[in-house]
Amino acid sequence: MKSMRLIGSLSCIMLVMAISAVAQPSSSPAPVLDSAGRPLQRGVEYYINPAITDSGGRFTLINRNGSCPFYVGQENVSGLEGLPVIFTPFVEGETVIRENRDFRVAFSAATICVQSTAWKLGEKDPETNRRLIVTGEDEGSRKARNYFRIGKASVGGDIYQISWCPTEVCPICKFDCGTVGNLVENGKRLLALDGNVIPVTFERKA
Ligand SMILES: *[C@@H]1O[C@H](CO)[C@@H](O)[C@H](O)[C@H]1NC(C)=O
Ligand SMILES: *[C@@H]1O[C@H](CO)[C@@H](O)[C@H](O)[C@H]1NC(C)=O
C-alpha cells in the first residue's frame, strides 16, 4: 500500500518534469522542422518545395530577362530539380533555424553572375507593385535586406511560410514586413511579397 503511494507520487513528479522539459523558454522558439521532422541546421543544404501542388515547383534561381542579377523563383512544375539553399542564423553560434528568427539564405550554386546567391529583398516592381526577391548583397550597414525568417503556416503540420521582417537585425527599425508568395512574368515564376503566400516544406538534400 505504502509503496503504491510512493510510485504514485514519483510518477507525478516525473510528469511535472516531463512537462517542464517540453515547455520552451521564450528566448528559444521552436526549431523549424524539415519534411522528415528534423530541425533545420545551419550550413546544411535544403530544397524548398511548395506545400501545395499547383503552385509551381522547387525554389531555384531565375534568369529574369537575360541579365544579372538572377532572381529567386520557382521551377515551373513540380518534379524538377531546383536548387538547394543554405541558412545562416543572424545569431552567431546558433546552429538551428528557429521560428521567427532572422537568417541569411543563399542558393548553394554558382552562376555566371558575379553577385552572391544570397536572397535579397528587391525594389518594388512598377508593373505589379510587389517587391521581388533578387540575389546579391545588401550594401546597407545592417544588410537588413538579406535577412529572412520562417514562421508556421496556419494549415498546421511541418508547413511554413517565409517572410521578410528583420527585427532581430534591427529591433528599433520600422519595417514594411511581407510574406513570400509568387507571381508569373513571361512564363517565369518569381518570388514576391505583398500578394499571395506560398506555404512551403524543407527537404534535406540527400
Ligand atoms: C532587364 O531588366 C532591366 C531592369 O528592368 C532592364 O533595364 C533591361 O533593359 C532588361 N533587359 C532585357 C534584355 O530585357
Ligand atoms: C519556365 O517557363 C518559362 C517559359 O517557357 C521559361 O522561360 C523559364 O525559363 C522556365 N523556368 C524555369 C525555372 O526553367
Side-chain angles (χ1 to χ4, degrees):
M1 214 31 199
K2 203 163 190 186
S3 64
M4 282 289 281
R5 220 177 289 141
L6 183 60
I7 289 167
S9 53
L10 262 180
S11 55
C12 183
I13 289 167
M14 280 159 70
L15 184 65
V16 168
M17 283 168 64
I19 288 169
S20 50
V22 165
Q24 295 270 355
S26 58
S27 59
S28 69
V32 176
L33 303 178
D34 70 14
S35 48
R38 299 166 296 194
L40 260 57
Q41 304 284 332
R42 173 194 284 259
V44 170
E45 291 180 312
Y46 295 94
Y47 292 107
I48 305 179
N49 296 309
I52 307 169
T53 52
D54 255 20
S55 54
R58 274 182 177 165
F59 286 20
T60 192
L61 284 163
I62 301 289
N63 182 340
R64 187 182 177 197
N65 72 351
S67 56
C68 291
F70 286 176
Y71 282 72
V72 182
Q74 292 175 270
E75 298 282 5
N76 290 321
V77 292
S78 59
L80 297 177
E81 199 170 1
L83 289 172
V85 297
I86 284 177
F87 300 101
T88 308
F90 171 71
V91 175
E92 229 172 290
E94 173 65 278
T95 57
V96 168
I97 312 305
R98 297 183 184 280
E99 291 179 17
N100 302 312
R101 288 291 200 241
D102 295 335
F103 55 72
R104 277 172 62 92
V105 52
F107 284 107
S108 183
T111 74
I112 54 162
C113 299
V114 185
Q115 282 100 339
S116 91
T117 58
W119 296 20
K120 181 176 92 171
L121 180 66
E123 301 301 327
K124 192 163 272 187
D125 173 52
E127 296 271 305
T128 58
N129 237 7
R130 293 180 69 179
R131 289 171 290 171
L132 299 174
I133 315 287
V134 65
T135 57
E137 293 296 323
D138 182 353
E139 301 301 335
S141 60
R142 295 182 191 270
K143 293 182 161 283
R145 284 177 173 267
N146 284 129
Y147 284 91
F148 293 82
R149 47 179 55 193
I150 296 170
K152 264 247 143 91
S154 53
V155 290
D158 297 334
I159 299 177
Y160 296 92
Q161 53 196 34
I162 303 173
S163 54
W164 179 80
C165 198
T167 57
E168 265 193 300
V169 173
C170 181
I172 59 162
C173 295
K174 293 265 181 289
F175 293 112
D176 182 9
C177 297
T179 304
V180 171
N182 62 2
L183 61 86
V184 180
E185 179 190 83
N186 303 324
K188 300 179 185 185
R189 287 177 177 271
L190 303 172
L191 297 195
L193 309 186
D194 314 317
N196 68 335
V197 169
I198 330 177
V200 294
T201 59
F202 302 96
E203 179 185 346
R204 190 172 172 141
K205 191 182 171 193

